[in-house]
Amino acid sequence: MDLTTGKPLWPHIGGEIKPYPQLEKDIACEVLVIGSGMSGAMSAYMLTKAGFDTVLVDSREIAGGSTMANTGLIQFFNDKTLTSCIHTYGEENGVAFYKLCEEAVRKLGRICEEEGIDAQFQPRESLYLASNEADLPMLEEEYRTLSRYGFKVKYLNPGDITDKFPFTKPGAILASGDAAINPYACVNGLIDVSAARGMRVYARTEIDSRLETEGGSVFYTKERRRIRAKYAVYSTGYETQEMKRNRNAKLLASYAIASQPLGEFPGWYKECMIWETARPYLYMRTTADGRVIVGGEDEDMLSGEERINRLAVKKDILLDKARALFPELDLQAEFAWAAVFGETHDGYPLIGAQDGFPNSVFSLVYGGNGTVYSVLGAEMIVNRLKGLKHPGDRLFRFDRPRHTPPAKRLQHISQEKISAS
Ligand SMILES: Cc1cc2nc3c(=O)[nH]c(=O)nc-3n(C[C@H](O)[C@H](O)[C@H](O)COP(=O)(O)OP(=O)(O)OC[C@H]3O[C@@H](n4cnc5c(N)ncnc54)[C@H](O)[C@@H]3O)c2cc1C
């Protein structure tokens, strides 16, 4: 699958990336992690730290998949609002999801700090704008829900917004506890730290097939090298859909641009991250080297070639939308990229075991908060291997029940009553 096209920002800025070799002999390990994106890197990091003899492989260069396209917004606030999660899954489950995400943001910051990873982790507030008047009741309800469960949020009315920004909107939620990051530097840092602890890392090493044996599996690479592993972690990203399609997963095309370094952002309150209630949503953030990243314009899945053709148009749309919000900024698109983006219909990532894959776990961190889900997935996997439970086991498992929102159920019942009478 052509995951990323165009010119993504991260590989072109920042320091030198350590190269890793291709696998050239048969090896054995306790845990094989397949995929070196955010999900695989985080799992491999936590597994190595917990003392598991871990091997990490990737068919591409390290972090050469979707993680290269990641715009690095780290948020507890999900694409599916807390109110909507509660409607779909019930109060306990919905609130647990948001609390797990909130803690995962903090945990990511702690890891970067403790391990000395220069991932430009910067605590940031997030501004969630009502895109139009019609979305205001939903936004207000979400504010009340977040406040009720102790999340640090403020409500901004149009006057508050114009005090802080050069634009106005019908309303907004300002949330604390989020962060911005360079995801590519983070992944490379996690892998370097783990390699220094003894983890073996192989780039350009594609797992092609697998044979189940007593006490584990033998994985074959495309070059017919064998990796014998007691346990495997599939952190194979959106390409997993080509291997084992999941009906809850949906693949889209998404677009992003990064400006030239600007340095200063007049009228941009605390350089907070910005997104909105419209779907697909526009989002913006600033980077540690003074650029503005703008993303969005999601549409149905396209081939890499089709995405490249659309990129010129999408780049201009993103620029126009960002300039409309910040007319004083001299925004040019120095980088522009298009990528596959995956989400689930029910809004939660898919993390757990799947039929037909014994001694294995999948960490498919689909959704706009893939980085946060990667932290949760990694914790769940380490716990699983240690025989411990994790609250995410129940929430994110592949065979979770399909829920109908209560409002819809009630509507359905009343319609049944009407038709019965
Ligand atoms: C434009 C865009 C913006 C985004 N912005 C954000 C954001 O702001 N914040 C956020 O949290 N998330 C964001 N995301 C989502 C985020 O990028 C993903 O959640 C994340 O990158 C997924 O990481 P991953 O490790 O699952 O996948 P990947 O990074 O794709 O890693 C999977 C790896 O598996 C390897 N692989 C697959 N099959 C095999 C095999 N058989 N053998 C060996 N290797 C294999 C691939 O080569 C790949 O490198 C964004 C996504 C896009 C597209």
Side-chain angles (χ1 to χ4, degrees):
M1 194 182 283
D2 213 346
L3 290 172
T4 306
T5 39
K7 194 176 169 195
L9 170 70
W10 309 115
H12 295 95
I13 59 167
E16 213 170 280
I17 298 299
K18 188 168 180 253
Y20 286 96
Q22 190 178 31
L23 180 65
E24 287 181 346
K25 59 177 187 193
D26 294 350
I27 56 169
C29 61
E30 222 174 343
V31 189
L32 170 65
V33 178
I34 311 170
S36 72
M38 185 58 84
S39 163
M42 190 58 78
S43 294
Y45 162 77
M46 287 199 200
L47 285 162
T48 304
K49 192 161 186 224
F52 291 96
D53 170 29
T54 306
V55 164
L56 175 71
V57 297
D58 200 301
S59 53
R60 298 180 168 82
E61 294 295 342
I62 297 306
S66 310
T67 296
M68 225 165 41
N70 185 333
T71 44
L73 284 78
I74 312 296
Q75 297 176 297
F76 75 80
F77 206 145
N78 289 272
D79 290 0
K80 188 176 172 78
T81 60
L82 174 57
T83 312
S84 175
C85 287
I86 291 173
H87 280 162
T88 307
Y89 292 108
E91 183 183 22
E92 190 187 334
N93 183 320
V95 175
F97 174 50
Y98 263 62
K99 292 285 176 192
L100 284 172
C101 291
E102 191 184 38
E103 178 51 31
V105 177
R106 287 195 286 262
K107 179 146 196 172
L108 182 63
R110 282 199 300 273
I111 291 171
C112 292
E113 194 182 333
E114 283 166 17
E115 302 292 359
I117 296 172
D118 183 15
Q120 295 129 37
F121 182 96
Q122 299 174 314
R124 291 278 173 87
E125 288 173 280
S126 287
L127 184 75
Y128 187 48
L129 294 167
S131 307
N132 49 54
E133 291 286 342
D135 288 348
L136 213 44
M138 183 274 279
L139 186 91
E140 287 167 356
E141 188 183 6
E142 179 62 3
Y143 167 71
R144 285 191 294 273
T145 311
L146 288 166
S147 305
R148 187 176 322 131
Y149 295 103
F151 294 96
K152 288 191 203 111
V153 284
K154 283 185 206 146
Y155 191 82
L156 306 188
N157 58 39
D160 302 325
I161 297 171
T162 38
D163 284 348
K164 292 179 164 56
F165 301 93
F167 54 82
T168 192
K169 290 281 170 181
I173 296 172
L174 188 64
S176 306
D178 292 339
I181 200 173
N182 174 336
Y184 188 70
C186 180
V187 164
N188 278 287
L190 288 167
I191 292 173
D192 292 348
V193 162
S194 309
R197 288 195 177 120
M199 181 176 83
R200 288 164 284 168
V201 186
Y202 301 99
R204 304 173 302 288
T205 301
E206 179 171 345
I207 298 300
D208 188 56
S209 54
R210 159 183 66 107
L211 184 72
E212 292 310 324
T213 62
E214 190 94 349
S217 317
V218 179
F219 292 86
Y220 291 85
T221 70
K222 224 172 161 185
E223 288 75 25
R224 307 319 287 164
R225 304 292 174 212
R226 282 178 297 189
I227 306 175
R228 189 176 293 277
K230 287 189 188 145
Y231 204 84
V233 176
Y234 286 86
S235 296
T236 37
Y238 307 142
E239 285 171 327
T240 316
Q241 297 313 304
E242 293 176 332
M243 179 179 72
K244 188 165 171 66
R245 204 173 91 76
N246 189 291
R247 281 198 302 158
N248 194 0
K250 188 165 108 189
L251 300 187
L252 303 162
S254 191
Y255 301 86
I257 57 170
S259 75
Q260 76 282 24
L262 295 167
E264 298 210 334
F265 305 97
W268 189 329
Y269 176 74
K270 291 187 179 175
E271 292 178 41
C272 65
M273 303 185 291
I274 299 174
W275 63 308
E276 58 169 345
T277 54
R279 295 292 182 271
Y281 53 81
L282 178 83
Y283 60 92
M284 297 177 66
R285 58 161 287 197
T286 61
T287 63
D289 67 342
R291 300 170 194 269
V292 177
I293 293 179
V294 189
E297 285 299 306
D298 298 3
E299 58 186 349
D300 288 346
M301 174 72 171
L302 297 169
S303 70
E305 200 180 324
E306 288 167 324
R307 284 199 312 264
I308 267 293
N309 293 335
R310 303 274 292 150
L311 185 57
V313 177
K314 294 292 188 177
K315 181 186 85 175
D316 287 343
I317 296 175
L318 290 171
L319 263 179
D320 285 350
K321 287 186 172 175
R323 285 174 181 152
L325 291 175
F326 292 98
E328 268 190 54
L329 298 182
D330 173 29
L331 288 173
Q332 310 297 328
E334 191 177 326
F335 295 88
W337 62 101
V340 180
F341 174 69
E343 57 185 21
T344 55
H345 292 287
D346 67 5
Y348 282 12
L350 292 157
I351 305 170
Q354 291 208 74
D355 285 346
F357 293 82
N359 308 311
S360 298
V361 66
F362 285 72
S363 180
L364 307 184
V365 295
Y366 297 0
N369 271 347
T371 312
V372 165
Y373 305 153
S374 295
V375 176
L376 296 174
E379 285 176 347
M380 287 166 63
I381 290 162
V382 172
N383 276 16
R384 196 183 185 96
L385 263 67
K386 287 180 167 175
L388 303 171
K389 290 197 187 320
H390 187 285
D393 297 342
R394 187 173 48 84
L395 305 184
F396 307 141
R397 67 180 203 263
F398 280 73
D399 61 348
R400 59 194 177 228
R402 298 182 70 169
H403 292 265
T404 313
K408 284 206 182 123
R409 259 202 316 263
L410 284 178
Q411 204 181 18
H412 184 61
I413 291 164
S414 59
Q415 273 168 5
E416 271 173 6
K417 276 189 183 158
I418 291 163
S419 51
S421 61

